[in-house]
């Protein structure tokens, strides 16, 4: 099964609302990263949170990490139509080398 | 270069043919990764290169898949005797150093492979 599993699989909201996506993982991690993908092509790195951090902010993005629950959340505040994309969490496993293990993603649609 | 460059952008090939996909990482990046993504799916790790170290090939799905990185820069992913299930977007990425150290990974736009 996937190391990272996002919830929900799909999310549809109105512009201006907040969007929250969750990611759960199974094994100990070094860090967790969130990526955005438009139209099934290249991924864009959004934010990285280390295992000893609990919360990070970047612009309208807020990421939390709860290592006791093996979960992370990505909050996008005041969403815009341009935020429509797929969002993936990816983990760097402790002792797993330098590869990222990706979840299956959340498809976010922000409607005008 | 300004970003990770991949070629070709799209490739249609006949089943049984060999294909080569090229990746030109960001200049100075020591780490290079190959992933593939099937339609509507997450990314599947294939192979990772770090400097002059032996690559991590643990994600290659079969011996039909191979990759090399020449001179610590450009990488080529080769798929021999392609099969229909090889159809996917092949994404290359690079980072200044190991991502375990917190280095950001930058992805290319991918090479869309269709095997007919």
């Amino acid at each position: 099964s996937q190391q990272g599993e996002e919830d929900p699989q799909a999310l549809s909201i109105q512009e201006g609302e907040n969007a929250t996506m969750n990611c759960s993982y199974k094994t100990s991690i070094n860090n967790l990263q969130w990526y955005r993908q438009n139209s099934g092509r290249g991924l864009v790195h959004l934010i990285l949170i280390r295992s000893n951090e609990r919360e990070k902010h970047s612009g309208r993005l807020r990421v939390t990490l709860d290592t006791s629950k093996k979960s992370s959340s990505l909050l996008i505040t005041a969403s815009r139509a341009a935020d429509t994309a797929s969002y993936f969490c990816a983990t760097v496993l402790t002792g797993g080398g330098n590869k990222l293990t990706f979840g299956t993603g959340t498809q976010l649609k922000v409607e005008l | 270069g300004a970003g990770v460059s991949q070629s070709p952008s799209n490739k249609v090939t006949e089943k049984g043919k060999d294909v080569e996909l090229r990746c030109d990482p960001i200049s100075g990046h020591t780490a290079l990764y190959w992933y593939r993504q099937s339609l509507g799916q997450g990314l599947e790790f294939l192979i990772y290169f770090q400097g002059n170290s032996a690559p991590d090939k643990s994600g290659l799905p079969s011996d039909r898949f191979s990759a090399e990185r020449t001179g610590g820069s450009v990488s080529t992913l080769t798929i021999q005797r392609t099969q229909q299930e090889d159809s996917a977007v092949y994404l290359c990425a690079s980072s200044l150093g190991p991502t375990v150290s917190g280095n950001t990974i930058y992805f290319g736009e991918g090479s869309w492979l269709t095997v007919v």
Side-chain angles (χ1 to χ4, degrees):
Chain A
S1 59
Q2 294 284 341
Q3 159 70 352
E5 295 188 3
E6 285 90 342
D7 168 54
Q9 290 187 332
L11 179 61
S12 183
I13 60 173
Q14 298 293 312
E15 197 171 50
E17 294 180 337
N18 296 340
T20 300
M21 288 161 270
N22 303 297
C23 169
S24 61
Y25 57 92
K26 299 184 188 303
T27 59
S28 178
I29 62 170
N30 177 280
N31 66 63
L32 184 146
Q33 305 178 28
W34 284 91
Y35 287 81
R36 166 195 167 122
Q37 185 179 41
N38 286 59
S39 304
R41 296 309 287 250
L43 279 79
V44 175
H45 178 268
L46 296 177
I47 201 163
L48 179 153
I49 187 165
R50 298 175 189 270
S51 60
N52 62 352
E53 297 176 312
R54 293 296 168 259
E55 186 171 310
K56 285 190 83 169
H57 296 256
S58 177
R60 294 185 295 112
L61 306 180
R62 172 180 170 244
V63 168
T64 62
L65 179 64
D66 187 335
T67 52
S68 66
K69 295 181 180 179
K70 292 186 169 58
S71 67
S72 173
S73 68
L74 170 67
L75 169 68
I76 304 174
T77 60
S79 63
R80 306 166 182 168
D83 294 329
T84 296
S86 292
Y87 292 82
F88 294 89
C89 72
T91 52
V92 178
L93 306 183
T94 302
N98 285 286
K99 63 186 180 187
L100 283 172
T101 303
F102 282 83
T104 51
T106 293
Q107 289 188 342
L108 173 66
K109 184 175 182 180
V110 181
E111 300 187 75
L112 295 170
Chain B
V4 177
S5 178
Q6 291 188 245
S7 61
S9 296
N10 293 281
K11 174 74 175 179
V12 180
T13 191
E14 292 181 352
K15 178 181 172 181
K17 295 280 181 70
D18 297 352
V19 295
E20 286 189 350
L21 307 176
R22 176 189 168 104
C23 173
D24 206 336
I26 294 172
S27 179
H29 280 196
T30 62
L32 187 147
Y33 315 75
W34 282 98
Y35 284 82
R36 76 175 175 181
Q37 184 178 30
S38 300
L39 192 63
Q41 301 297 310
L43 275 75
E44 175 188 3
F45 168 78
L46 296 177
I47 190 168
Y48 163 72
F49 296 90
Q50 174 61 53
N52 295 320
S53 302
D56 177 355
K57 303 180 182 179
S58 60
L60 294 178
S62 76
D63 58 9
R64 296 187 296 106
F65 288 73
S66 63
E68 62 178 21
R69 188 178 184 191
T70 54
S73 180
V74 172
S75 177
T76 302
L77 176 69
T78 301
I79 309 173
Q80 295 178 311
R81 305 181 302 281
T82 52
Q83 300 177 5
Q84 288 186 328
E85 59 262 33
D86 298 334
S87 297
V89 178
Y90 289 81
L91 291 155
C92 178
S94 70
S95 57
L96 191 59
T99 190
V100 71
S101 301
N103 287 282
T104 298
I105 296 179
Y106 298 87
F107 280 82
E109 289 296 302
S111 292
W112 191 291
L113 175 66
T114 302
V115 182
V116 297

